[in-house]
Amino acid sequence: MIFTQNTTSRVYLRMRKRKDVSRFEFLQSEQDINVFGKREAIIEGFLLERSINMIFAKAGTGKTWLCFALAKFLADMGYDSLYLDSDNGIDVIKERGFDKHIEELSAKMTYINGDLMDDSFKEMMEVCEKIEKNAERGYEKAVFIYDSLQFFLGGGVYDEAKINRFVTSWKKIRKAGGTVIVINHTTKKGDAMKGGGSLINALDEVWRVDKIGEQSGHLHFNLTPEKYRMPVHEISYSVNTKTLMLTPLDTDIALMSESEKELSEKIKELLSEKELSQGEILKALEKSKSDKTMLNFLEKFDGKFWQVTKKANKKIYNIL
């Protein structure tokens, strides 16, 4: 069939008119994609409202300390938390002093421990069902912490059906305005999260937690996002185990190697006497002016250990 210009125009007009009537009209619903509005950050770069998050780490890293500190931090911001604990026995809770923190947070954090139940799995599942049924009331400014995943999935961390069942539950919480944090563990080797890719893909963000230090009642953590689906970035915190105070750490400083610490101390010692140009610093350290590693190091910690200004086309360093 040969189309003339007029024929083509008529075909185009018929197609354009048909766009007014959807061929999938039988599936149309009253869904409104703008119903939620903009999702705001609860903790900038880390935790967003209406999100499903998972943190994972090796046993003994301090995940529970981190989550209790988060609950306190959020309580101070006006958020209510529900902490479902199936991972820590009552003896452990008392030995670590969590019981005192639980009492102090009782006005803003509801804590439920499976160890106090006759049939912990059955009764915890009943709690989860109640959470779902009451979602219609709304969960704005509410955070739900599940500790830990393996229990709630009945050990089935690789079972697609069980994973989907709980992801559906978390999505109901998210739809109702709530935020979910789920604690998970690594595999025996410690290099990957239990549950694998199918679990990661079902969540908004997954965080790897590493303990990077411990000093005088403070635990230092680094959290690395695995997905970057949301506007997040690597972040570090210190947790005071006596007060549960959560303090942000500069990630570059927190993750410094021993050799970097030694180098920074040498530079700070040089700058403690007087300001120096970049060339003078490199000469004092017996480094080449074209040493890219050294130049990147100086730039990396500008504004953290020293301040750089330009004078007569020279970079001048002053200690902070």
Side-chain angles (χ1 to χ4, degrees), residues 109-126:
M109 184 182 80
T110 299
Y111 178 79
I112 299 176
N113 191 297
D115 204 28
L116 295 173
M117 299 174 173
D118 294 327
D119 186 335
S120 59
F121 185 75
K122 179 183 176 182
E123 292 181 48
M124 274 291 195
M125 292 306 103
E126 289 174 354

Side-chain angles (χ1 to χ4, degrees), residues 162-218:
K162 290 181 178 179
I163 290 172
N164 289 336
R165 163 69 185 85
F166 259 92
V167 169
T168 298
S169 177
W170 299 331
K171 285 182 177 179
K172 288 181 180 179
I173 293 172
R174 183 178 65 181
K175 186 178 180 181
T179 299
V180 177
I181 300 173
V182 187
I183 299 177
N184 196 4
H185 298 278
T186 61
T187 55
K188 288 184 179 179
K189 291 183 179 180
D191 57 351
M193 183 184 76
K194 286 186 176 180
S198 60
L199 181 57
I200 290 176
N201 292 335
L203 309 172
D204 290 319
E205 191 54 73
V206 176
W207 297 85
R208 181 184 183 91
V209 179
D210 294 292
K211 186 165 72 174
I212 54 177
E214 183 173 353
Q215 185 180 17
S216 304
H218 291 76

Side-chain angles (χ1 to χ4, degrees), residues 272-286:
S272 65
E273 298 177 5
K274 61 177 182 178
E275 65 178 27
L276 295 172
S277 69
Q278 187 177 90
E280 289 171 328
I281 293 173
L282 294 171
K283 183 177 180 180
L285 296 172
E286 298 182 346

Side-chain angles (χ1 to χ4, degrees), residues 132 137 186 195 248 302:
E132 281 190 55
R137 297 183 181 184
T186 61
D302 176 23

Side-chain angles (χ1 to χ4, degrees), residues 203-315:
L203 309 172
D204 290 319
E205 191 54 73
V206 176
W207 297 85
R208 181 184 183 91
V209 179
D210 294 292
K211 186 165 72 174
I212 54 177
E214 183 173 353
Q215 185 180 17
S216 304
H218 291 76
L219 302 176
H220 307 310
F221 300 99
N222 187 66
L223 288 79
T224 307
E226 298 279 304
K227 297 181 68 172
Y228 292 94
R229 177 177 285 179
M230 302 188 295
V232 297
H233 54 76
E234 190 173 16
I235 196 164
S236 299
Y237 286 106
S238 178
V239 173
N240 185 322
T241 56
K242 292 182 180 179
T243 65
L244 286 185
M245 182 175 288
L246 188 71
T247 306
L249 298 175
D250 185 290
T251 300
D252 287 334
I253 296 175
L255 295 179
M256 288 178 74
S257 65
E258 289 303 316
S259 60
E260 286 181 318
K261 289 178 183 178
E262 290 177 10
L263 182 56
S264 66
E265 289 302 319
K266 287 180 181 178
I267 297 172
K268 286 192 287 183
E269 187 177 347
L270 290 170
L271 295 175
S272 65
E273 298 177 5
K274 61 177 182 178
E275 65 178 27
L276 295 172
S277 69
Q278 187 177 90
E280 289 171 328
I281 293 173
L282 294 171
K283 183 177 180 180
L285 296 172
E286 298 182 346
K287 301 288 184 180
S288 166
K289 291 183 179 181
S290 60
D291 188 328
K292 289 186 178 180
T293 301
M294 190 64 211
L295 294 174
N296 289 336
F297 182 84
L298 289 170
E299 183 180 353
K300 182 178 181 180
F301 294 101
D302 176 23
K304 297 171 183 178
F305 295 136
W306 41 78
Q307 187 80 42
V308 183
T309 56
K310 278 193 174 182
K311 293 182 181 179
N313 295 324
K314 286 187 177 181
K315 288 186 177 180

Side-chain angles (χ1 to χ4, degrees), residues 87-105:
D87 204 51
N88 300 287
I90 293 302
D91 290 336
V92 172
I93 291 295
K94 290 183 176 180
E95 287 168 4
R96 296 181 180 177
F98 286 129
D99 54 332
K100 296 176 183 177
H101 296 309
I102 291 167
E103 185 176 351
E104 291 171 358
L105 288 170

